[in-house]
Amino acid sequence: MKVANLNCSDCVKVDALSAMLKSIAPELIEILESRYQILNIVNYLQPIGRRSLSTKLDLTERVIRKEANLLKDQGLLDFSLEGMTLTEQGEQALGMLKFFFHDLKGLKALEERLEILLNIKKVIIAPASPEDESSMLIKDIGRFGADYVRTLLGVAKIVGITGGSSVHSLIDSIKKEKTPLTDLTIVPARGGLGKKAEFQANTLVEKFANRIGSQYKLLYTPDFLSKDAIESLMNEPEIKEIMEYIEEIDLLIFGIGDALTMAKRRSLNPQEIGIIETKGAVSEAFGYYFNREGDIVHEISTIGISLEKFKNIEHLIAVAGGDDKSEAIVSICRLNSNLVLVTDENVARNIINTF
């Protein structure tokens, strides 16, 4: 059973198994967690050798060799000259273990509590990673987000995505569809931002569309422009066409940035930065800067999805992790109760502690 296809009844079975093992055989939990960590690390870094794996998990090569051989005998790992990789059966086992440890660590209860506090549709929490594995944490957030996105691809017609490292991780975790989704169109929700092409919305749109076999449109404009430049560009036929698609977005996937970081990326002048600091801005979205209560405190000119449109989209998926995102996440969640938040355990606990 693949993790992407797990349904509510599957989750109930996993919850029951978790409760049973905790009460009948608690000593098995430690063994399961050790093997879960091995499968998880291999999944992200494959192909990986025993020495690298032992360093990542702070275990001896002898222990790694023993555990890896056992997992290989069970059909969960493959060995090659390049290193260890997960088999299809290993991927399925890892998916089930993720749900098991999700319940074991109390993350399901944490998700439900956060949904109530933030007044949003759903919260999905990736387990905390060691401090030196922040890249794995972003990948985990992306993988959890990708699993949820796949459940909506059959109902959406136009998917909008923004740029950023978290959205990049989500798109990277989307697996190729066996049957192309030709009725679906992917579009960038706003213009380009930043210097890294791999994190640009246009790049991610094309990558996403190629993986699922859908149509796509690109928006060849900077994100931050003067009002005069925007008015001029809006008269261009190609820009008009893409803006019509953006206005029809029914599924939006976006990242969340804190106000000061985004202000610097957009090269706001010192006076504007002073204004958003003074007014308590903690987040930015679609050309607006918001305080913790979700009130607009500053506005800049951009091309892309409007705030009014954002507030009325039925399917919203925000992917954001890292301790510096807590205030920004709370702020953006005030804007639309349909929002589904994919974040990490530390951020979730930090947010709860602020209420």
Side-chain angles (χ1 to χ4, degrees), residues 93-109:
L94 178 60
M96 292 297 289
L97 285 170
K98 279 184 183 290
F99 275 96
F100 175 79
F101 283 104
H102 208 71
D103 176 66
L104 189 69
K105 293 182 177 182
L107 297 185
K108 184 178 178 182

Side-chain angles (χ1 to χ4, degrees), residues 56 128-141 169 321-322 344:
K56 288 288 183 185
S129 293
E131 290 183 6
D132 63 340
E133 293 297 344
S134 58
S135 61
M136 280 189 58
L137 178 60
I138 293 297
K139 286 182 179 180
D140 251 341
I141 292 172
S169 178
D344 65 83

Side-chain angles (χ1 to χ4, degrees), residues 11 16 59 169 173 204 207 231 235 294 311 342:
C11 297
L59 295 171
S169 178
S173 297
L204 298 179
K207 187 174 186 178
E231 287 178 8
N235 291 319
K311 289 183 175 182
V342 188

Side-chain angles (χ1 to χ4, degrees), residues 213-232:
S214 71
Q215 304 176 62
Y216 67 93
K217 301 288 182 179
L218 302 178
L219 178 60
Y220 294 110
T221 66
D223 184 61
F224 182 32
L225 294 167
S226 68
K227 288 185 178 180
D228 288 342
I230 288 176
E231 287 178 8
S232 177

